Amino acid sequence: MEELLVYAILLYEELVTEDEYSKRLDELFLKNPEDDDLLHLEWETNIQEAIIYVRTHIDYKNLDLERFGRMLMSKLKVVYANCLDIKCFANRMYSLWESLPGNIQDIEPFWTLSYADDPLSWGDEEQTRNIYEHMLGYYKE
């Protein structure tokens, strides 16, 4: 469910498309057709209801942070690479940080989303980019 949580959060923040979410859900369901949560989500036609379902049916206390983090950073690398305006990216990342589960907001690399845009206030785009790039590379082997 960690992977679907990433998609649900990114979908809510409009950082991935509904098609991307649906495609990944289909792949996960085909691998695990006996999973009741995946079956429920396959039948759910309202994307907002699907997001709510994922966010309310995940066990946040036992969330695999490494898996969640790797997936989130992987998806954010694509968003970062396709975003030409660092200020726009920074605004979206702060909003994303606010959407994260409260129990992980203060843990790296997620915490970085809350402050990486600070250097922009004094015009230092290079430092902001360095902070984001360090965050995006957090899970490098």
Side-chain angles (χ1 to χ4, degrees):
M1 278 290 269
E2 286 85 1
E3 195 169 342
L4 285 180
L5 179 60
V6 168
Y7 275 92
I9 292 169
L10 293 176
L11 191 56
Y12 177 77
E13 293 296 328
E14 299 178 351
L15 294 167
V16 295
T17 65
E18 193 172 330
D19 283 346
E20 288 175 88
Y21 161 81
S22 295
K23 181 180 176 188
R24 189 59 187 141
L25 173 60
D26 291 346
E27 291 168 354
L28 291 170
F29 180 70
L30 288 174
K31 288 180 185 175
N32 301 297
E34 71 287 343
D35 186 306
D36 290 337
D37 289 323
L38 296 176
L39 177 62
H40 177 86
L41 291 166
E42 279 288 322
W43 282 97
E44 182 57 68
T45 57
N46 182 319
I47 195 63
Q48 296 303 322
E49 291 296 322
I51 291 170
I52 291 168
Y53 184 89
V54 171
R55 296 205 64 157
T56 57
H57 284 81
I58 193 153
D59 182 0
Y60 290 102
K61 291 179 184 172
N62 293 311
L63 185 67
D64 183 341
L65 285 182
E66 175 135 354
R67 183 174 180 183
F68 175 83
R70 282 184 184 279
M71 183 59 163
L72 181 62
M73 293 307 137
S74 170
K75 299 308 278 181
L76 290 180
K77 282 178 187 177
V78 174
V79 174
Y80 180 76
N82 292 320
C83 188
L84 301 176
D85 182 355
I86 189 67
K87 292 175 185 174
C88 177
F89 180 80
N91 286 337
R92 299 189 82 184
M93 292 306 100
Y94 186 79
S95 180
L96 173 64
W97 175 75
E98 292 179 312
S99 292
L100 292 175
N103 64 323
I104 68 167
Q105 285 181 328
D106 297 337
I107 299 170
E108 288 298 347
F110 316 112
W111 174 243
T112 301
L113 294 166
S114 73
Y115 67 80
D117 62 339
D118 288 353
L120 291 176
S121 65
W122 58 85
D124 194 344
E125 288 186 20
E126 183 179 345
Q127 186 176 3
T128 294
R129 286 188 181 281
N130 288 338
I131 293 169
Y132 281 127
E133 288 167 13
H134 177 75
M135 174 196 74
L136 293 171
Y138 185 86
Y139 293 100
K140 282 188 178 173
E141 318 276 297

